[in-house]
Amino acid sequence: MKRNPVTVITVSILGLLLTAGCRTNNGNMTSIDRKPVIEPDYSGVTIPRNIAPMNFIIKEEGKYFIAEASSANGYSKTVRSRDGVIRFSRGSWKRLLSESTGDSISINVISEDSKGTLRKYNPFSLFVAEEPLDPWVSYRLLYPGYESYKEIVIRQRNTESFRENSVVENQLLKTNCVNCHSFCNNDPDKMLIHVRGSVGGTYFYDGKIVTRRDLKADGMKFGAVYPAWHPGGKFVAFSSNSIVQSFHASQEYNVEVTDLESSLVVYNTETNIMLPVQESDTISYMETFPEWSPDGKYLYYCRAIETKDTSDFKSIKYDLVRKAFDEVSTGFGKAELIFDARSVDKSVSFPRVSPDGKYLIFTLHNNGNFSIWHKEADLYLIDLQTGKTEKMSVNSDETESWHSWSSNGRWLMFSSKRGDGLTARPYFAYFGPDGQMGRPFVLPQKDTDLYRRMIKTFNRPEFMTGRIKADPRDFGRASGTEALKARWGGAKVSSADK
């Protein structure tokens, strides 16, 4: 006769409680008709087959806890705890993942209270997807305010374990501001970062050495700001911005970051030449946040009608547009409107195209382009083949902002302030072949209490196919060298604009 697996699991846990020496009050067991409250909440999420152990805290009353995780093939691992903290060994967790790929890990929880009463909760499951996650991620750690940048680091973290180390530390860069780390096709051996201040410049890393360059060529009104690598690795598109911060008494918008002027430029990493991206429209625009299509034939970006009156910041709305690109001539076609945000009284920022070129995700918010300070900012998905646009299911009531795609296009990582409304944390969500999303989950930590205690924010999370081999000393040494000055290529007009 076939046995009920839930009954078997319950009996085995109860036996473990008894043999562990718990006082059971004559075996008194209460069934709680709900799942246990855990933190982080991993119940019902879809996870990759190579994720680090998903440790959690049981947030239920009790003096003793047991969690039993069972694979689809019958392997089980039991974790006992007196404080509700459940940590899996890496070996047992890897086996649970390998034996549940394409199926689910089921986790049963039983607690014992001070009177010896056992409480059995409904089990919860984690579905294990067949597609792996990129093995490394990077992010900028800094305090969530705007008044100080004396302690900024770029960290890299192995997603399959808890291994983590610093790549850049601004303490070794005379406490200058460090921002906008960017990779070509998630490649850790082809990256750049910006540094502002006394050792300012754009620092390029090619897998061997770090070089410092000054990308504000003579002839450019403003410096290079937000980057996007062309998939071929030869070019990097930048916005060139004059940016101002405004501080308001409004609780809704107490901080606003606004462009005074902005345009697009393209840097040739091989010739050290910077070229403008010409606009043939007679209207003056502010252009920012470039993003290449994976085939390199289109440059997507955000565009708003230029204004000099930043006091009316609520009226500034950015649309999503793109231009065709000819790699041979480095010429661009005319702008093509992809999403008309102004028509719905909204604004677009941070466009990111999926590796297969079929989808684009952007952040939509009320105004401007710096959504990190906008509580209403949400992620939206465009099907680039049909033009269908929809709000994504991964959103919360707090800010969702920077997002990136895994190299296989099956995982989305984004920063969210859903925990406390102030500090951003890196979340992952499965992206199915049909565009359907799995329930998001936060990056697992060895210390289950880390996110509650940590007051720093995780900024600009990026996937990487491997580990960055450079360390903070490499960038420190490069800061002592003279920056290579980019050369201006002059006004270049594409054949489409002639």
Side-chain angles (χ1 to χ4, degrees), residues 101-162:
T101 300
D103 209 311
S104 296
I105 297 172
S106 179
I107 300 181
N108 281 263
V109 169
I110 288 181
S111 66
E112 182 189 24
D113 65 17
S114 58
K115 297 179 181 180
T117 300
L118 302 178
R119 288 183 171 86
K120 177 175 69 69
Y121 300 87
N122 292 342
F124 64 92
S125 298
L126 298 82
F127 182 80
V128 184
E130 296 182 354
E131 299 93 336
L133 198 67
D134 287 353
W136 288 84
V137 295
S138 60
Y139 38 78
R140 189 170 65 145
L141 279 180
L142 70 165
Y143 292 107
Y146 46 81
E147 69 281 351
S148 176
Y149 51 81
K150 289 187 176 181
E151 187 179 325
I152 298 177
V153 297
I154 294 177
R155 301 280 287 177
Q156 62 178 347
R157 159 72 191 275
N158 186 272
T159 58
E160 300 173 348
S161 69
F162 301 114

Side-chain angles (χ1 to χ4, degrees), residues 15 95 97 147 160 180 267 356 402 407 463 485:
R95 184 172 176 183
L97 290 173
E147 69 281 351
E160 300 173 348
C180 289
Y267 177 64
D356 60 9
W402 188 260
S407 56
F463 280 111
K485 183 81 169 179

Side-chain angles (χ1 to χ4, degrees), residues 13 35-45 47 51-60 64-70 77-89 92-93 96 105-111 121-126 157 162 439 441-452:
I13 293 180
K35 298 173 183 177
V37 176
I38 62 172
E39 188 179 299
D41 184 4
Y42 291 139
S43 175
V45 301
I47 61 175
I51 191 69
M54 300 186 71
N55 302 329
F56 58 88
I57 308 174
I58 301 170
K59 307 292 285 187
E60 300 285 355
Y64 194 85
F65 303 86
I66 280 188
E68 185 174 62
S70 303
K77 175 63 178 178
T78 300
V79 180
R80 304 173 181 85
S81 172
R82 293 193 178 277
D83 58 4
V85 175
I86 303 299
R87 291 193 180 97
F88 297 95
S89 68
S92 62
W93 182 253
L96 284 166
I105 297 172
S106 179
I107 300 181
N108 281 263
V109 169
I110 288 181
S111 66
Y121 300 87
N122 292 342
F124 64 92
S125 298
L126 298 82
R157 159 72 191 275
F162 301 114
R439 185 168 178 260
F441 61 93
V442 73
L443 174 66
Q445 300 288 348
K446 185 176 183 179
D447 179 359
T448 56
D449 203 33
L450 178 69
Y451 292 126
R452 188 186 63 82

Side-chain angles (χ1 to χ4, degrees), residues 201-418:
T202 302
Y203 290 63
F204 287 79
Y205 176 63
D206 64 1
K208 296 180 181 178
I209 60 172
V210 178
T211 57
R212 179 186 173 201
R213 303 189 185 191
D214 179 1
L215 300 188
K216 189 177 184 300
D218 294 336
M220 288 178 63
K221 193 173 182 181
F222 310 109
V225 184
Y226 304 117
W229 285 85
H230 186 272
K234 181 179 178 180
F235 302 102
V236 185
F238 292 92
S239 61
S240 181
N241 310 57
S242 174
I243 300 172
V244 63
Q245 281 193 120
S246 303
F247 303 92
H248 307 280
S250 168
Q251 287 292 324
E252 183 182 9
Y253 298 111
N254 56 350
V255 182
E256 188 68 27
V257 179
T258 310
D259 282 340
L260 294 177
E261 293 182 58
S262 58
S263 60
L264 299 179
V265 292
V266 173
Y267 177 64
N268 188 319
T269 62
E270 297 177 358
T271 64
N272 195 38
I273 292 176
M274 186 74 80
L275 293 171
V277 177
Q278 295 290 343
E279 175 58 65
S280 60
D281 200 312
T282 56
I283 299 175
S284 295
Y285 292 104
M286 298 183 291
E287 301 164 325
T288 191
F289 295 133
E291 165 74 354
W292 296 98
S293 61
D295 60 8
K297 294 181 179 180
Y298 289 95
L299 180 65
Y300 292 82
Y301 58 98
C302 303
R303 184 182 75 175
I305 297 175
E306 187 174 280
T307 178
K308 300 295 184 182
D309 183 12
T310 59
S311 63
D312 189 21
F313 64 92
K314 289 186 178 181
S315 68
I316 301 174
K317 314 285 184 178
Y318 285 78
D319 296 322
L320 177 65
V321 297
R322 73 177 184 183
K323 288 186 176 184
F325 176 64
D326 184 336
E327 187 173 351
V328 176
S329 67
T330 64
F332 288 87
K334 292 184 178 180
E336 174 188 358
L337 182 64
I338 301 301
F339 182 76
D340 187 355
R342 283 185 296 169
S343 68
V344 293
D345 198 31
K346 294 290 183 178
S347 191
V348 168
S349 63
F350 304 146
R352 301 300 295 268
V353 184
S354 62
D356 60 9
K358 295 180 179 179
Y359 299 95
L360 182 148
I361 295 176
F362 62 81
T363 304
L364 192 68
H365 39 97
N366 288 343
N367 56 271
N369 63 53
F370 212 72
S371 57
I372 192 171
W373 297 112
H374 286 246
K375 182 177 180 177
E376 81 283 356
D378 285 320
L379 300 181
Y380 278 70
L381 177 73
I382 294 183
D383 185 327
L384 293 175
Q385 300 167 100
T386 66
K388 180 182 178 182
T389 305
E390 59 184 350
K391 184 177 179 179
M392 301 183 73
S393 62
V394 300
N395 291 296
S396 69
D397 294 334
E398 297 292 343
T399 305
E400 268 68 56
S401 58
W402 188 260
H403 44 280
S404 61
W405 294 89
S406 64
S407 56
N408 60 14
R410 286 292 165 259
W411 298 94
L412 178 71
M413 179 169 54
F414 61 98
S415 61
S416 175
K417 294 183 178 180
R418 65 188 61 192

